[in-house]
Amino acid sequence: MYSLSSQKKFWTFKTEQELAELRVKQNVRFITKHGAGMTDEQKQAHFLSADEERLLLKQYELQLKEFCKRFEPPMPKYVVGTAFHYFKRFYLNNSSMDYHPKEILATCVYLSCKVEEFNVSIAQFVANIKGDRGKAMDIILSNELLLMQELNYYLTIHNPMRPIEGFLIDIKTRCNMSNPDRLRPGIEDFIDKTFLTDAPLMYAPSQIALAAVLHAASKEQENLDSYVTESLFGAAKDKLPVLIEAVRRVRSMVRTIELPPKDRVRFLEKKLEKCRNQENNPDSQIYKQRMKKMYEDEDDLDVMGSSYHMNVSDANLDVSQLNTTNPANMTVD
């Protein structure tokens, strides 16, 4: 139930300003840590600003959408929705300069598949990725625990898909609309667009679902105002103003989506490659050395464990030999 969920308690925010402040905080924290000794002018030239990070993340949200759209086998909408939630949440607590979005994006989708029980193996998953699939597999698996930690292990997501089905059934029952299922294409298109906004971080799934239904109805020249005011909230009209404002804001956010300019994105991509944290860059020597040391430490632990088991086995063997070769040592008083 959403009203009692971790999503509502920890991951639903009141204003866009609150979200902007969290993103600026992560940007400032990264620059402060990695820009020590630089002048303000040097920092500005070298690092991404909070606005630049936001623009770049919007581009990666578009890529996330396209990746899920062409995924084989076809990916259910609720899996896509969960992946978007993970991606958005992760970058409220982290800078894109610390963890590259292209790597976190794939990990978000993979974790979403597992949590939502859309059963694909890691081999099936990376078959949808272009380029070095072995490397992609290593990156996804090495980032999976990090992602869960940054989400504070709150992995259950309430998406608007279930409320949408509820509204459509209710409309069929209590409205005179002919064939409410013709609203589905408009609803799905609207929901896809909400994933490119901050609406999932600000509004309840039922509010987003109702905004999608009303939007699709208006496209079909249908008016559901009386359904909302009389059927849905006839006995709770005091809650109506809050709902109307939420629906209005969600529809406004979808209507004002701006796609990032391609030339600007290319410039920011190059800038990110120069200023990103090399400790988290799989192509850097620092990262490779760190991973090599980690594997060596694991090997050392395995050797120690094997040695321990051998010693225990040897000790048992000696005791057994003592008891069988020297029965005279056994005395009964």
Side-chain angles (χ1 to χ4, degrees):
M1 182 179 255
Y2 171 77
S3 60
L4 301 176
S5 68
S6 60
Q7 182 172 333
K8 184 178 189 300
K9 186 175 181 180
F10 302 110
W11 293 103
T12 300
F13 302 87
K14 293 182 179 179
T15 65
E16 290 179 273
Q17 180 62 31
E18 188 177 358
L19 294 171
E21 289 172 359
L22 286 172
R23 289 164 179 149
V24 168
K25 178 182 177 181
Q26 300 309 323
N27 178 266
V28 171
R29 185 174 69 173
F30 181 87
I31 294 174
T32 301
K33 180 179 178 180
H34 296 273
M38 290 186 179
T39 64
D40 288 342
E41 291 76 13
Q42 289 172 327
K43 289 178 182 178
Q44 188 174 0
H46 183 68
F47 296 108
L48 296 176
S49 67
D51 288 340
E52 288 173 334
E53 283 200 75
R54 187 74 192 109
L55 187 67
L56 200 54
L57 287 172
K58 285 183 178 180
Q59 176 61 29
Y60 278 98
E61 288 180 349
L62 289 171
Q63 292 187 19
L64 194 161
K65 176 184 174 183
E66 287 304 309
F67 176 72
C68 294
K69 184 178 179 180
R70 57 180 171 78
F71 194 89
E72 291 293 338
M75 188 177 291
K77 288 285 185 183
Y78 59 85
V79 180
V80 180
T82 295
F84 267 101
H85 271 271
Y86 291 168
F87 188 77
K88 291 174 183 292
R89 290 180 181 186
F90 183 87
Y91 286 108
L92 291 179
N93 291 331
N94 296 278
S95 167
S96 59
M97 292 181 285
D98 219 355
Y99 299 100
H100 201 294
K102 69 182 177 184
E103 295 156 11
I104 298 302
L105 181 158
T107 310
C108 288
V109 180
Y110 180 66
L111 181 60
S112 175
C113 290
K114 294 175 74 172
V115 171
E116 297 293 355
E117 299 183 349
F118 177 56
N119 296 316
V120 292
S121 67
I122 184 64
Q124 286 177 295
F125 187 89
V126 298
N128 289 272
I129 297 175
K130 297 176 182 178
D132 188 337
R133 289 168 180 165
K135 179 181 175 182
M137 186 184 299
D138 290 341
I139 290 172
I140 291 168
L141 295 178
S142 65
N143 282 334
E144 188 177 9
L145 180 58
L146 166 72
L147 174 59
M148 289 191 286
Q149 289 171 336
E150 292 302 316
L151 298 175
N152 292 324
Y153 298 96
Y154 296 127
L155 304 181
T156 300
I157 300 296
H158 296 263
N159 282 297
M161 290 70 183
R162 184 172 292 179
I164 285 170
E165 294 304 319
F167 283 131
L168 289 176
I169 292 171
D170 197 45
I171 290 170
K172 290 176 185 177
T173 305
R174 297 200 284 178
C175 277
N176 295 322
M177 183 189 298
S178 62
N179 188 23
D181 283 328
R182 63 194 165 93
L183 301 182
R184 287 187 183 277
I187 290 172
E188 290 182 4
D189 179 66
F190 186 90
I191 293 298
D192 285 346
K193 289 177 179 176
T194 63
F195 293 147
L196 304 177
T197 72
D198 281 333
L201 296 173
M202 295 177 60
Y203 298 101
S206 58
Q207 294 173 330
I208 296 173
L210 184 58
V213 170
L214 294 178
H215 172 81
S218 67
K219 292 291 184 181
E220 293 291 327
Q221 308 300 316
E222 296 283 356
N223 191 320
L224 292 176
D225 289 352
S226 61
Y227 165 72
V228 174
T229 57
E230 301 301 326
S231 298
L232 288 182
F233 288 90
K237 291 190 182 295
D238 56 313
K239 297 180 180 179
L240 198 55
V242 175
L243 176 72
I244 291 174
E245 177 60 17
V247 168
R248 185 191 70 78
R249 285 292 303 131
V250 172
R251 295 182 69 175
S252 174
M253 292 168 84
V254 168
R255 189 169 53 249
T256 56
I257 291 174
E258 294 183 3
L259 299 181
K262 291 183 178 180
D263 56 339
R264 184 66 176 159
V265 168
R266 282 193 293 268
F267 170 77
L268 295 178
E269 287 275 17
K270 292 177 181 178
K271 192 174 181 182
L272 177 59
E273 284 303 319
K274 294 178 181 178
C275 68
R276 68 178 296 191
N277 184 355
Q278 293 303 309
E279 290 186 4
N280 297 325
N281 179 3
D283 294 324
S284 72
Q285 284 301 121
I286 297 174
Y287 179 90
K288 291 174 182 176
Q289 290 170 2
R290 180 163 60 88
M291 295 303 291
K292 181 182 177 182
K293 185 178 186 304
M294 184 178 74
Y295 291 138
E296 287 174 349
D297 291 344
E298 288 180 354
D299 289 342
D300 290 342
L301 287 173
D302 289 340
V303 169
M304 290 173 64
S306 299
S307 175
Y308 171 77
H309 290 304
M310 286 178 66
N311 290 337
V312 170
S313 176
D314 291 344
N316 290 338
L317 180 61
D318 291 340
V319 169
S320 174
Q321 289 175 335
L322 178 64
N323 290 338
T324 55
T325 58
N326 292 299
N329 288 336
M330 299 173 62
T331 61
V332 178
D333 293 332

